[in-house]
Amino acid sequence: MSLVLRNLQRAVPIRRAPLRKKMEIVRSILGVQKFDLGIICVDNKNIQHINRIYREKNIPTDVLSFPFHENIKAGELPQPDFQDDYNLGDIFLGVEYIFQQCKGDEDYYDILTVTATHGLCHLLGFTHSTEAEWQEMYQKEKQVLEELSRRTGTRLQPLSRGLF
């Protein structure tokens, strides 16, 4: 199925091809290539608006995930009954916020990939509300990013490291 990658902002220049290439590999690693996935790049104003509406937090953030399937257990893939249900959901990347948070030696596209991978893990039922949930999510992100790094020659670390 398809990966739809949209850029709905102009605050930060973005080339979609590098992110698309890496996220296709991440989808393959996770075994979710048969599911549709939307990744939408937005600026601080829009990510803050979405964050305020859905999380009641009136601040910009790096990533918000909106799963198509509810109540998925971490690590389990959805089991759709119909073709139209082969959808994981949407990931909103606050690319302006991410760019502002990047440290001097960090590659912006690597951080976008790590952040999108974090969002994808949320779509697959992983959360980090408790330390135990964080550990499970961290291990999944670490496994996926290590394999991605092996395939692409990069060294990516999970977004959620050091959360607890």
Side-chain angles (χ1 to χ4, degrees):
M1 298 298 245
S2 67
L3 168 61
V4 176
L5 184 52
R6 302 268 326 264
N7 180 25
L8 301 180
Q9 58 82 46
R10 294 180 186 209
V12 179
I14 185 168
R15 293 182 353 260
R16 291 178 291 174
L19 179 58
R20 174 182 300 282
K21 181 180 177 188
K22 287 185 179 171
M23 289 311 296
E24 289 290 7
I25 296 169
V26 168
R27 284 169 25 118
S28 172
I29 293 167
L30 287 167
V32 296
Q33 316 90 303
K34 64 183 176 183
F35 291 90
D36 290 330
L37 172 64
I39 300 177
I40 301 100
C41 300
V42 296
D43 59 17
N44 280 350
K45 178 182 166 204
N46 285 301
I47 199 86
Q48 181 173 339
H49 177 75
I50 298 166
N51 204 16
R52 181 175 61 246
I53 290 170
Y54 291 98
R55 295 182 63 228
E56 298 180 359
K57 295 186 178 192
N58 193 21
I59 55 172
T61 190
D62 54 357
V63 61
L64 294 170
S65 297
F66 296 92
F68 184 83
H69 299 274
E70 296 180 11
N71 304 318
I72 294 178
K73 292 183 180 170
E76 292 183 8
L77 296 182
Q79 301 297 319
D81 293 323
F82 304 100
Q83 187 64 33
D84 287 350
D85 293 340
Y86 277 85
N87 188 338
L88 292 178
D90 295 314
I91 300 167
F92 285 80
L93 292 178
V95 294
E96 181 180 6
Y97 181 86
I98 294 166
F99 183 79
Q100 292 167 344
Q101 300 300 310
C102 278
K103 296 172 179 61
D105 61 338
E106 293 178 319
D107 182 273
Y108 172 62
Y109 290 97
D110 284 349
I111 302 302
L112 283 179
T113 301
V114 169
T115 307
T117 300
H118 181 85
L120 182 50
C121 285
H122 277 304
L123 296 181
L124 295 173
F126 290 91
T127 63
H128 44 74
S129 301
T130 67
E131 187 168 355
E133 290 173 344
W134 168 78
Q135 278 289 347
E136 188 176 23
M137 185 168 188
Y138 176 83
Q139 290 305 319
K140 176 52 80 174
E141 284 183 41
K142 186 172 185 273
Q143 171 204 350
V144 169
L145 293 172
E146 283 176 354
E147 179 60 21
L148 177 63
S149 295
R150 189 187 67 73
R151 293 186 191 185
T152 61
T154 56
R155 290 183 46 90
L156 305 177
Q157 294 293 316
L159 181 65
S160 59
R161 72 177 182 268
L163 189 62
F164 276 90

